[in-house]
Amino acid sequence: MNHLNLEKLKFPIGKCPKIDDVSKNDLENWIAIIEEFPSKIKNLTSTLSVEELIWMYRPKGWNIKQVVHHCADSHMNSFIRFKLALTEDVPTIKPYEEALWAELADGNSNDISPSLQIIESVHIRWVLLLKSLSSKELKRQFFHPANLKISSLEETVGVYAWHCEHHLAHIEQALLHKGLF
């Protein structure tokens, strides 16, 4: 498998675009993607067999169950980061080792239903929060010490809309390739 194909397997919808000027329309679209994510991931995965859950989306990548558990972990962390940014002045958020989390018992469990429930519940609260934010609140920021970057909440909404679509595409890709990797 050549480098270009591997890159396409890693980023089936492309890398997360740089987000600069954010329009009201951008925010509405991104929030809608985040709102629809729980039903989309559940529809893709809730009836899969254990054999299908271990299908990978690329060589040396995660399997479907790890992607689902990762989304629960990642989106819980993001929701908390939003709340920190809304209640503290440019807080330093806590990074986590997502690859190591994916290897823990709960991140590699054949039972994805708890993670689907977490995703559904976190997204209900997250979307309620996102829809309540003023343009001033959306400009609030947090500092990420792993990449030494200050991010605004409005750009982070875009990043997580991309994150939702990115991992849905990974699951679709794994299902398409049916255990090839």
Side-chain angles (χ1 to χ4, degrees), residues 87-103:
T87 59
E88 299 176 20
D89 189 29
V90 193
T92 298
I93 57 97
K94 174 84 172 92
Y96 67 101
E97 297 293 336
E98 62 182 36
L100 296 177
W101 284 34
E103 296 302 324

